[in-house]
Amino acid sequence: MDYETIQVEQRGAVTLITLDRPKALNALNAQVLTDLLAALAALDADHSQGCAVLTGSDKAFAAGADIKEMSGMDFAAMYGSDHFSGYDRLVQTRKPVIAAVAGYALGGGCELAMMCDFILAADTAKFGQPEIKLAVSPGMGGSQRLTRAVGKAKAMEMCLTGRMMDAGEAERAGLVSRVIPAAELIDEAVKTAAVIAGMAPIAVKANKEMVNAAFETGLTAGVQFERRLFHGLFGTADQKEGMAAFVEKRPGNWTGK
Ligand code: CO8
């Protein structure tokens, strides 16, 4: 399939999606959303693919929502079209998506990275919610996801001042899982995605769903949800295979059933 604003490449069982609007530092316009939704729907539908990596360029993962596209819009246009609400569908992707962030991840770019299942950051990465400088605010979940990721103090400071966090600070604050030298970012992200793609597919979906549930539920309900999904995995052929393979000291051979 051809896309206008992204490049999609399959590397084994890993789908590598690269934002491709270099002249606008990968600013997110309506077409990017359309392309991303199509690429992630294709990922979910393709049994040969187990995990995606979403990345940008060396200079920018994405420098935010497209300010030029938004600047002329009024309340009726924004509210009437529920502008960018399609990103809610993006987070419903059932296979894991890893954000591999180098350079700027600002505004909607930071929010897009946080919609992924986890973030691997190059040592050049810079995260920020600078919308306040434009007299607006995060609008794709940043005020909520950043606060859950790094806590109120840092999230509030970043949203109110627009200051950026470098990769080291982002790792210490829990926004990213690991910092990687920029030159190795894509290879390391694809390697990590390949590890995930090599796991039993139903178990991958269940693990993703239960970790995400921690954001939506209280502890007792979350633990209960986890336990029920754990019980459910004992209804899969891959659970039998996985435990037999352990006992027989061999790799598991997954059927996705
Ligand atoms: N939108 C559109 N174009 C952009 C954007 C953007 N967010 N960011 C950069 N560009 C363009 C520039 O206009 C410039 O284009 P041109 O060459 O035609 O002038 C080109 O990219 C290169 O940018 P710079 O010359 O500015 O590059 P610098 O290296 O000097 O600076 C920065 C890099 C610091 C990243 C700078 O470009 C910048 O500050 N960009 C804007 C960052 C920002 O404010 N992001 C937040 C945008 S608002 C947002 O994301 C809201 C999200 C919620 C939306 C929800 C809707 C419901």
Side-chain angles (χ1 to χ4, degrees):
M1 182 166 175
D2 282 340
Y3 300 98
E4 280 178 45
T5 62
I6 60 175
Q7 289 180 17
V8 179
E9 180 195 333
Q10 293 189 348
R11 292 198 185 175
V14 174
T15 302
L16 177 62
I17 303 172
T18 307
L19 298 167
D20 189 24
R21 299 190 70 214
K23 287 187 187 137
L25 300 185
N26 293 328
L28 308 171
N29 62 10
Q31 190 60 44
V32 176
L33 174 59
T34 302
D35 287 348
L36 282 177
L37 286 175
L40 292 171
L43 166 78
D44 268 347
D46 186 342
H47 294 306
S48 77
Q49 298 298 289
C51 189
V53 172
L54 176 60
T55 195
S57 67
D58 290 347
K59 181 164 181 186
F61 176 75
D66 192 319
I67 298 168
K68 292 166 191 167
E69 183 182 69
M70 283 186 301
S71 60
M73 292 176 77
D74 59 11
F75 172 77
M78 278 282 175
Y79 185 80
S81 66
D82 207 1
H83 191 67
F84 275 8
S85 58
Y87 277 104
D88 295 346
R89 271 184 282 144
L90 194 145
V91 295
Q92 283 156 16
T93 307
R94 297 200 67 205
K95 291 178 186 168
V97 183
I98 302 171
V101 174
Y104 297 111
L106 300 178
C110 185
E111 295 173 293
L112 177 60
M114 291 190 289
M115 283 178 212
C116 297
D117 295 301
F118 59 94
I119 302 173
L120 294 174
D123 47 14
T124 57
K126 288 188 183 339
F127 299 88
Q129 298 292 159
E131 292 93 336
I132 192 149
K133 296 182 188 169
L134 303 167
V136 289
S137 70
M140 288 161 52
S143 63
Q144 307 304 299
R145 290 195 179 93
L146 187 64
T147 306
R148 283 166 165 79
V150 306
K152 181 184 170 190
K154 269 189 197 292
M156 190 68 91
E157 186 197 353
M158 287 173 72
C159 289
L160 290 180
T161 67
R163 105 167 156 83
M164 294 182 213
M165 220 187 239
D166 66 18
E169 185 180 3
E171 185 184 29
R172 289 192 299 279
L175 180 60
V176 310
S177 66
R178 270 188 293 144
V179 179
I180 294 157
E184 295 160 29
L185 178 69
I186 301 301
D187 283 351
E188 184 58 30
V190 170
K191 211 164 92 186
T192 305
V195 169
I196 295 167
M199 302 293 176
I202 302 288
V204 168
K205 285 184 176 140
N207 276 270
K208 169 169 170 160
E209 200 174 354
M210 65 178 71
V211 174
N212 279 333
F215 283 92
E216 311 286 348
T217 51
L219 183 60
T220 305
V223 169
Q224 180 78 350
F225 179 72
E226 176 197 85
R227 189 173 304 125
R228 290 293 171 244
L229 270 180
F230 175 77
H231 292 160
L233 289 169
F234 283 73
T236 65
D238 280 344
Q239 174 271 325
K240 301 286 172 289
E241 166 64 9
M243 293 193 176
F246 175 80
V247 173
E248 293 161 18
K249 302 188 189 302
R250 61 173 175 81
N253 183 21
W254 315 123
T255 58
K257 292 186 177 142

